[in-house]
Amino acid sequence: MRQPIIAGNWKMHLGRVDEALAFVRRIRYQLNGIEGVDRVLCPPFTVLASVAEAIRPTRIGLGAQTMHWEEQGAHTGEISPMALAGLCQYVILGHSERRAANNESDDSVNRKVHAALAHDLTPIICVGEDLAQNEAGQTHEFIGGQVRAALAGLTVEQAAQCIIAYEPLWAIGTGKAATPADANRVIGLTIRGAIAETFGEATAQAVRVQYGGSVNAENIAAFMTMPEVDGALVGGASLKLDFVELVQRAASV
Ligand code: 13P
């Protein structure tokens, strides 16, 4: 059985310590009390340490939104896996916003996945097709390629530890989520299919795969009823107090 996981990707919001702590202090104990679903907050780097401290008494997980693959070096503005290890447990890698605006490639995502696992960080690897690819019927081929590239060179044990987030680009921040049935099909056939090709069926069944893109408290339950969907990567709705309700509804399915 795969334990579902709901992660809140704050993106470039709540980056000031006072506003991040004000928010976390209002949700932490309720969020902590929810059973049966892993819950993770992924705030900006500037508040990671403060949020880590605020959730220390809880079982809430903490993640970063990106990192470099090298342990240290002359990389101005970058954050290394060594800096994150011990501070948080997860790291989002290959988010489409970073692929589009920060030169993230399949190759750099793969390097980062290796580096994360080497430092006991669980990668949340984002994949997703854009609208043109979707409409041209290229989703299966494109996502399959992203998954194979991200996981290239891992051992079976390492692959099983990864989390994948299926985030179609046209669903991010648009209010137009994929249908739960479509998300279920892409995750089951395409993503687990690609994992199974390289790492075998048991690994494909072990990997947790989230859906992301306009998930909110109203539609989360429909996604959670889908057998292939193991939770959600939530953007905008993770910045509101009713993120707690979203996670409660996810847990009650
Ligand atoms: P929204 O939930 O705001 O659509 O963002 C999804 C996302 O990109 C999470 O990583």
Side-chain angles (χ1 to χ4, degrees):
M1 275 301 284
R2 301 182 297 262
Q3 168 101 337
I5 175 165
I6 307 282
N9 175 9
W10 291 7
K11 307 191 180 182
M12 202 171 73
H13 299 284
L14 301 181
R16 265 182 19 210
V17 170
D18 59 342
E19 56 182 358
L21 288 183
F23 179 66
V24 169
R25 286 180 181 141
R26 290 185 72 179
I27 63 169
R28 59 183 168 178
Y29 293 122
Q30 277 180 296
L31 210 51
N32 187 48
I34 302 168
E35 302 283 342
V37 177
D38 290 343
R39 43 258 183 270
V40 177
L41 303 178
C42 301
F45 287 127
T46 46
V47 300
L48 262 184
S50 304
V51 173
E53 190 59 34
I55 61 176
R56 197 177 302 284
T58 75
R59 289 166 296 141
I60 299 167
L62 189 66
Q65 298 176 12
T66 184
M67 65 171 205
H68 200 278
W69 61 82
E70 287 188 9
E71 293 196 338
Q72 56 187 337
H75 301 291
T76 302
E78 294 286 347
I79 305 284
S80 83
M82 280 206 317
L84 294 180
L87 185 58
C88 59
Q89 306 83 43
Y90 300 86
V91 58
I92 297 171
L93 297 176
H95 192 282
S96 58
E97 288 155 9
R98 295 199 59 84
R99 291 184 193 253
N102 301 85
N103 293 321
E104 291 264 345
S105 64
D106 280 346
D107 178 57
S108 68
V109 172
N110 177 246
R111 290 174 190 231
K112 293 178 183 197
V113 169
H114 280 267
L117 292 166
H119 290 85
D120 288 328
L121 294 162
T122 298
I124 299 177
I125 305 163
C126 300
V127 298
E129 83 285 2
D130 67 20
L131 187 60
Q133 291 167 321
N134 182 278
E135 288 177 344
Q138 296 166 349
T139 300
H140 182 75
E141 199 184 326
F142 183 73
I143 303 283
Q146 283 188 319
V147 170
R148 280 187 287 271
L151 303 182
L154 297 183
T155 65
V156 165
E157 291 73 25
Q158 287 177 319
Q161 288 168 38
C162 294
I163 295 170
I164 296 180
Y166 170 51
E167 298 206 308
L169 273 59
W170 44 270
I172 295 176
T174 59
K176 187 179 178 298
T179 66
D182 281 347
N184 193 63
R185 184 172 42 78
V186 173
I187 291 173
L189 286 178
T190 304
I191 296 179
R192 294 199 198 284
I195 298 168
E197 278 170 33
T198 313
F199 300 100
E201 183 60 26
T203 306
Q205 291 305 322
V207 170
R208 295 191 285 179
V209 188
Q210 302 170 305
Y211 166 75
S214 296
V215 172
N216 55 43
E218 273 62 56
N219 64 18
I220 184 64
F223 286 103
M224 297 302 289
T225 58
M226 295 289 138
E228 303 290 356
V229 180
D230 304 317
L233 184 55
V234 183
S238 74
L239 299 167
K240 302 185 194 138
L241 293 176
D242 75 354
F243 183 58
V244 171
E245 192 169 334
L246 188 161
V247 179
Q248 275 163 348
R249 289 186 189 180
S252 64
V253 170

